[in-house]
mmCIF file of all heavy atoms in Angstrom:
data_model
loop_
_atom_site.group_PDB
_atom_site.id
_atom_site.type_symbol
_atom_site.label_atom_id
_atom_site.label_comp_id
_atom_site.label_asym_id
_atom_site.label_seq_id
_atom_site.Cartn_x
_atom_site.Cartn_y
_atom_site.Cartn_z
ATOM 1 N N THR A 422 88.026 63.679 161.229
ATOM 2 C CA THR A 422 86.961 64.640 161.541
ATOM 3 C C THR A 422 86.690 64.622 163.068
ATOM 4 O O THR A 422 86.483 63.535 163.610
ATOM 5 C CB THR A 422 85.667 64.304 160.811
ATOM 6 O OG1 THR A 422 85.920 64.191 159.405
ATOM 7 C CG2 THR A 422 84.617 65.416 161.013
ATOM 8 N N LEU A 423 86.776 65.784 163.695
ATOM 9 C CA LEU A 423 86.462 65.866 165.116
ATOM 10 C C LEU A 423 85.133 66.621 165.279
ATOM 11 O O LEU A 423 84.938 67.659 164.662
ATOM 12 C CB LEU A 423 87.531 66.653 165.870
ATOM 13 C CG LEU A 423 88.807 65.904 166.088
ATOM 14 C CD1 LEU A 423 89.995 66.757 165.599
ATOM 15 C CD2 LEU A 423 88.985 65.579 167.561
ATOM 16 N N LEU A 424 84.255 66.102 166.078
ATOM 17 C CA LEU A 424 83.014 66.820 166.453
ATOM 18 C C LEU A 424 83.026 67.007 167.978
ATOM 19 O O LEU A 424 83.063 66.029 168.734
ATOM 20 C CB LEU A 424 81.763 66.003 166.053
ATOM 21 C CG LEU A 424 80.460 66.566 166.606
ATOM 22 C CD1 LEU A 424 80.137 67.933 165.958
ATOM 23 C CD2 LEU A 424 79.286 65.615 166.429
ATOM 24 N N ARG A 425 82.960 68.252 168.364
ATOM 25 C CA ARG A 425 83.011 68.594 169.788
ATOM 26 C C ARG A 425 84.080 67.732 170.498
ATOM 27 O O ARG A 425 83.815 67.053 171.525
ATOM 28 C CB ARG A 425 81.625 68.452 170.442
ATOM 29 C CG ARG A 425 80.721 69.652 170.085
ATOM 30 C CD ARG A 425 79.361 69.574 170.765
ATOM 31 N NE ARG A 425 78.486 68.695 170.110
ATOM 32 C CZ ARG A 425 78.171 67.450 170.564
ATOM 33 N NH1 ARG A 425 78.632 67.009 171.710
ATOM 34 N NH2 ARG A 425 77.357 66.657 169.885
ATOM 35 N N GLY A 426 85.283 67.795 169.973
ATOM 36 C CA GLY A 426 86.423 67.189 170.624
ATOM 37 C C GLY A 426 86.610 65.710 170.433
ATOM 38 O O GLY A 426 87.622 65.122 170.837
ATOM 39 N N ARG A 427 85.626 65.085 169.805
ATOM 40 C CA ARG A 427 85.710 63.643 169.692
ATOM 41 C C ARG A 427 85.902 63.254 168.200
ATOM 42 O O ARG A 427 85.249 63.800 167.332
ATOM 43 C CB ARG A 427 84.406 63.062 170.208
ATOM 44 C CG ARG A 427 84.415 61.593 170.361
ATOM 45 C CD ARG A 427 83.268 61.155 171.304
ATOM 46 N NE ARG A 427 83.089 59.734 171.160
ATOM 47 C CZ ARG A 427 82.119 59.034 171.690
ATOM 48 N NH1 ARG A 427 81.172 59.679 172.424
ATOM 49 N NH2 ARG A 427 82.033 57.751 171.520
ATOM 50 N N PHE A 428 86.803 62.284 167.940
ATOM 51 C CA PHE A 428 86.979 61.821 166.552
ATOM 52 C C PHE A 428 85.708 61.085 166.144
ATOM 53 O O PHE A 428 85.312 60.106 166.779
ATOM 54 C CB PHE A 428 88.173 60.844 166.471
ATOM 55 C CG PHE A 428 89.514 61.530 166.541
ATOM 56 C CD1 PHE A 428 90.151 61.740 167.714
ATOM 57 C CD2 PHE A 428 90.111 61.997 165.332
ATOM 58 C CE1 PHE A 428 91.406 62.367 167.769
ATOM 59 C CE2 PHE A 428 91.352 62.625 165.392
ATOM 60 C CZ PHE A 428 91.970 62.813 166.600
ATOM 61 N N VAL A 429 85.119 61.492 165.009
ATOM 62 C CA VAL A 429 84.042 60.719 164.417
ATOM 63 C C VAL A 429 84.536 60.024 163.133
ATOM 64 O O VAL A 429 83.969 59.046 162.719
ATOM 65 C CB VAL A 429 82.800 61.599 164.127
ATOM 66 C CG1 VAL A 429 82.123 62.023 165.443
ATOM 67 C CG2 VAL A 429 83.132 62.814 163.267
ATOM 68 N N MET A 430 85.631 60.505 162.566
ATOM 69 C CA MET A 430 86.377 59.815 161.548
ATOM 70 C C MET A 430 87.842 59.898 161.918
ATOM 71 O O MET A 430 88.307 61.002 162.310
ATOM 72 C CB MET A 430 86.174 60.389 160.146
ATOM 73 C CG MET A 430 87.078 59.707 159.092
ATOM 74 S SD MET A 430 86.934 60.324 157.425
ATOM 75 C CE MET A 430 87.659 61.903 157.487
ATOM 76 N N ARG A 431 88.593 58.829 161.809
ATOM 77 C CA ARG A 431 90.018 58.859 162.115
ATOM 78 C C ARG A 431 90.780 58.059 161.095
ATOM 79 O O ARG A 431 90.387 56.979 160.792
ATOM 80 C CB ARG A 431 90.223 58.265 163.519
ATOM 81 C CG ARG A 431 91.598 58.496 164.039
ATOM 82 C CD ARG A 431 91.695 58.362 165.558
ATOM 83 N NE ARG A 431 92.932 59.018 165.958
ATOM 84 C CZ ARG A 431 93.260 59.353 167.169
ATOM 85 N NH1 ARG A 431 92.400 59.101 168.157
ATOM 86 N NH2 ARG A 431 94.394 59.904 167.457
ATOM 87 N N ASN A 432 91.786 58.690 160.542
ATOM 88 C CA ASN A 432 92.613 58.047 159.451
ATOM 89 C C ASN A 432 91.712 57.506 158.344
ATOM 90 O O ASN A 432 91.873 56.414 157.843
ATOM 91 C CB ASN A 432 93.429 56.920 160.009
ATOM 92 C CG ASN A 432 94.507 57.415 160.952
ATOM 93 O OD1 ASN A 432 95.163 58.430 160.638
ATOM 94 N ND2 ASN A 432 94.649 56.806 162.096
ATOM 95 N N GLY A 433 90.686 58.299 157.987
ATOM 96 C CA GLY A 433 89.829 57.930 156.874
ATOM 97 C C GLY A 433 88.775 56.881 157.223
ATOM 98 O O GLY A 433 88.008 56.475 156.369
ATOM 99 N N LYS A 434 88.752 56.460 158.511
ATOM 100 C CA LYS A 434 87.796 55.406 158.894
ATOM 101 C C LYS A 434 86.763 55.965 159.869
ATOM 102 O O LYS A 434 87.105 56.701 160.837
ATOM 103 C CB LYS A 434 88.503 54.258 159.602
ATOM 104 C CG LYS A 434 89.545 53.577 158.718
ATOM 105 C CD LYS A 434 89.136 52.147 158.498
ATOM 106 C CE LYS A 434 89.931 51.388 157.438
ATOM 107 N NZ LYS A 434 90.789 52.147 156.577
ATOM 108 N N LEU A 435 85.519 55.578 159.693
ATOM 109 C CA LEU A 435 84.459 55.972 160.595
ATOM 110 C C LEU A 435 84.749 55.416 161.952
ATOM 111 O O LEU A 435 85.162 54.256 162.123
ATOM 112 C CB LEU A 435 83.130 55.395 160.083
ATOM 113 C CG LEU A 435 81.915 55.667 160.891
ATOM 114 C CD1 LEU A 435 81.527 57.141 160.799
ATOM 115 C CD2 LEU A 435 80.705 54.806 160.442
ATOM 116 N N VAL A 436 84.547 56.231 162.999
ATOM 117 C CA VAL A 436 84.714 55.749 164.387
ATOM 118 C C VAL A 436 83.321 55.324 164.858
ATOM 119 O O VAL A 436 82.518 56.117 165.322
ATOM 120 C CB VAL A 436 85.251 56.891 165.303
ATOM 121 C CG1 VAL A 436 85.376 56.412 166.749
ATOM 122 C CG2 VAL A 436 86.623 57.382 164.766
ATOM 123 N N THR A 437 83.044 54.012 164.756
ATOM 124 C CA THR A 437 81.666 53.537 164.930
ATOM 125 C C THR A 437 81.162 53.804 166.373
ATOM 126 O O THR A 437 79.972 53.950 166.549
ATOM 127 C CB THR A 437 81.550 52.053 164.612
ATOM 128 O OG1 THR A 437 82.560 51.342 165.365
ATOM 129 C CG2 THR A 437 81.767 51.796 163.130
ATOM 130 N N GLU A 438 82.078 53.837 167.343
ATOM 131 C CA GLU A 438 81.616 54.100 168.750
ATOM 132 C C GLU A 438 81.036 55.502 168.888
ATOM 133 O O GLU A 438 80.386 55.794 169.909
ATOM 134 C CB GLU A 438 82.755 53.966 169.754
ATOM 135 C CG GLU A 438 83.577 52.698 169.666
ATOM 136 C CD GLU A 438 84.701 52.807 168.665
ATOM 137 O OE1 GLU A 438 85.677 53.526 168.959
ATOM 138 O OE2 GLU A 438 84.616 52.173 167.584
ATOM 139 N N ALA A 439 81.284 56.362 167.901
ATOM 140 C CA ALA A 439 80.820 57.744 168.019
ATOM 141 C C ALA A 439 79.366 57.946 167.543
ATOM 142 O O ALA A 439 78.849 59.049 167.583
ATOM 143 C CB ALA A 439 81.745 58.706 167.249
ATOM 144 N N ALA A 440 78.738 56.867 167.116
ATOM 145 C CA ALA A 440 77.320 56.973 166.704
ATOM 146 C C ALA A 440 76.519 57.484 167.871
ATOM 147 O O ALA A 440 76.692 56.962 169.010
ATOM 148 C CB ALA A 440 76.790 55.624 166.242
ATOM 149 N N GLY A 441 75.705 58.487 167.667
ATOM 150 C CA GLY A 441 74.896 59.041 168.790
ATOM 151 C C GLY A 441 75.565 60.220 169.454
ATOM 152 O O GLY A 441 74.925 60.851 170.284
#
Side-chain angles (χ1 to χ4, degrees):
T422 308
L423 285 128
L424 171 68
R425 284 183 281 104
R427 190 161 165 189
F428 284 91
V429 291
M430 174 180 71
R431 191 160 197 166
N432 294 316
K434 298 243 169 349
L435 181 69
V436 178
T437 53
E438 310 84 73

